[in-house]
DNA sequence: CTATTAATAT
DNA sequence: CATATTAATA
């Protein structure tokens, strides 16, 4: 019984890194993410609500800085950590004490470009001053996201900025397009990604206010998330470099937030069907599809 | 095996 | 909160 030998995942095709502009638009298969992905029956069966808006209410920010005209972001929900945990794991279970239902440890968190954008967006609107993990996390309102995650990412984000700053010191002239680092391999993580220039401002004499950065607030305000609207939503957004070059890979960018959700949500249901990355051995990473804005 | 990213510890 | 270090994953 050899089923898989080298790398083949039944359904999981390795869309590898070459789905540039071939044919990803499969409108036919496009499904409204926020819509009923799964039949209500199934949802009921799982005891989960079909509402994608599991937003966490606790966010009437007292710490509301005073400089942001950013419309309260429609914050696309993420995943919701439901306490229900299903044990299945492809045939592994035991009987004897293995994974305690409680003490759920988070496997790993995958920062998707969209999620990163949200992160950057929050930071941009908060300002470096208030760009603290806590505030960012709160502003993001991403369910499932914790301060630790944000802090870690924030750290990396700062390093990235630093790198960019130090790189183009004084004599920059070859940089056309802002974040065009140039080498696709030089920066992997943040390389690219909508980085509001306000942070990169190498020189900002007189006045220290970071001004109006682009009206990023152009988020979709319509209740229905723009999922199936635009070009498409390639459900196969494989975990490629989180922030690849937008120049080329700007084709499909719909997020996928992946978190070690101990539970299976409705989204996770299809998510596991669409995105499931098997790590070496038995690790698994799920990827969710919230909605993002571009 | 190396590189990169995320989590964790200090 | 920020930084450094370690672990995990790609």
């Amino acid at each position: 019984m050899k089923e898989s030998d080298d790398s083949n995942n039944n359904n999981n095709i390795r869309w590898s890194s070459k789905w540039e502009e071939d044919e990803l638009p499969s409108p036919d298969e496009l499904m409204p993410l926020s819509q009923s992905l799964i039949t209500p029956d199934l949802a009921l069966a799982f005891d989960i609500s079909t509402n994608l808006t599991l937003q966490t209410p606790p966010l009437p920010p007292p710490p509301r800085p005073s400089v942001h005209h950013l419309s309260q972001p429609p914050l696309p929900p993420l995943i919701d950590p439901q306490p229900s945990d299903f044990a299945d794991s492809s045939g592994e279970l035991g009987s004897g004490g293995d994974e305690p239902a409680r003490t759920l440890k988070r496997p790993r968190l995958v920062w998707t470009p969209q999620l990163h954008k949200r992160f950057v967006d929050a930071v941009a609107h908060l300002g470096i001053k208030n760009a603290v993990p806590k505030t960012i996390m709160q502003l993001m309102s991403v369910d499932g996201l914790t301060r630790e995650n944000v802090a870690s990412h924030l750290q990396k984000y700062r390093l990235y900025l630093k790198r960019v700053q130090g790189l183009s010191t004084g004599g920059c002239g070859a940089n056309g397009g802002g974040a065009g680092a140039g080498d696709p391999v030089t920066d992997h993580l943040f390389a690219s990604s909508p980085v509001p220039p306000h942070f990169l401002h190498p020189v900002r004499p007189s006045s220290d206010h970071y001004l109006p950065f682009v009206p990023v607030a152009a988020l979709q305000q319509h209740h229905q998330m723009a999922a199936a609207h635009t070009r498409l939503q390639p459900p196969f957004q494989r975990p490629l470099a989180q922030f690849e070059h937008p120049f080329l890979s700007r084709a499909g960018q719909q997020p996928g937030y992946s978190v070690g959700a101990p539970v299976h949500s409705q989204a996770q249901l299809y998510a596991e069907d669409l995105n499931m990355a098997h790590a070496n051995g038995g690790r698994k990473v799920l990827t969710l599809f919230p909605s993002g804005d571009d």
Side-chain angles (χ1 to χ4, degrees):
Chain A
M1 307 113 152
K2 38 176 99 212
E3 35 188 57
S4 18
D5 171 90
D6 21 286
S7 55
N8 48 359
N9 312 329
N10 297 343
N11 274 336
N12 251 348
I13 308 143
R14 46 150 55 27
W15 307 86
S16 279
S17 37
K18 253 275 169 98
W19 45 306
E20 295 181 52
E21 53 202 336
D22 248 344
E23 43 180 306
L24 21 102
S26 304
D28 296 345
E29 300 301 310
L30 272 188
M31 41 163 85
L33 281 150
S34 13
Q35 284 258 342
S36 356
L37 238 135
I38 56 179
T39 171
D41 289 351
L42 190 57
L44 280 164
F46 278 97
D47 217 321
I48 57 183
S49 315
T50 339
N51 49 358
L52 250 268
T53 322
L54 301 151
Q55 178 179 6
T56 310
L59 187 346
R64 197 163 280 242
S66 20
V67 18
H68 329 75
H69 31 285
L70 202 227
S71 52
Q72 189 85 350
L75 296 166
L78 204 56
I79 48 106
D80 101 297
Q82 257 175 8
S84 352
D85 55 302
F86 300 127
D88 68 297
S89 280
S90 17
E92 185 175 314
L93 164 36
S95 16
D98 47 10
E99 294 267 271
R102 281 144 108 108
T103 319
L104 291 161
K105 68 180 198 211
R106 269 185 227 288
R108 189 92 152 175
L109 191 122
V110 180
W111 279 81
T112 180
Q114 256 65 8
L115 193 63
H116 179 71
K117 182 178 170 120
R118 196 167 191 68
F119 167 84
V120 173
D121 212 20
V123 175
H125 293 156
L126 285 166
I128 308 296
K129 299 194 319 220
N130 303 312
V132 288
K134 191 181 177 180
T135 310
I136 296 168
M137 181 193 70
Q138 290 193 131
L139 206 157
M140 286 178 79
S141 280
V142 178
D143 201 357
L145 192 72
T146 175
R147 190 182 122 268
E148 303 298 305
N149 293 134
V150 175
S152 188
H153 193 77
L154 177 66
Q155 174 191 84
K156 258 157 35 183
Y157 180 68
R158 285 179 168 180
L159 285 163
Y160 160 69
L161 289 166
K162 210 163 162 190
R163 248 186 121 92
V164 177
Q165 272 179 33
L167 228 80
S168 51
T169 49
C172 46
N175 286 7
D183 292 302
V185 296
T186 307
D187 349 81
H188 278 247
L189 198 147
F190 308 98
S192 108
S193 77
V195 177
H198 314 109
F199 295 1
L200 301 172
H201 271 179
V203 289
R204 191 95 207 130
S206 20
S207 304
D208 33 311
H209 324 119
Y210 33 76
L211 247 256
F213 52 101
V214 305
V216 284
L219 305 170
Q220 83 282 15
Q221 243 171 5
H222 312 74
H223 294 95
Q224 313 225 328
M225 313 191 172
H229 278 170
T230 27
R231 238 131 357 176
L232 50 105
Q233 209 80 201
F236 32 81
Q237 164 89 337
R238 88 157 217 160
L240 55 89
Q242 292 190 331
F243 321 112
E244 263 254 4
H245 295 183
F247 316 105
L248 301 170
S249 312
R250 237 197 204 192
Q253 277 195 3
Q254 198 62 18
Y257 174 80
S258 158
V259 67
V263 307
H264 299 240
S265 241
Q266 63 176 19
Q268 287 169 355
L269 283 171
Y270 67 79
E272 71 182 276
D273 201 31
L274 297 168
N275 287 29
M276 197 147 53
H278 293 74
N280 303 337
R283 289 147 168 119
K284 54 183 161 194
V285 183
L286 300 185
T287 41
L288 241 282
F289 291 90
S291 111
D293 49 287
D294 184 38

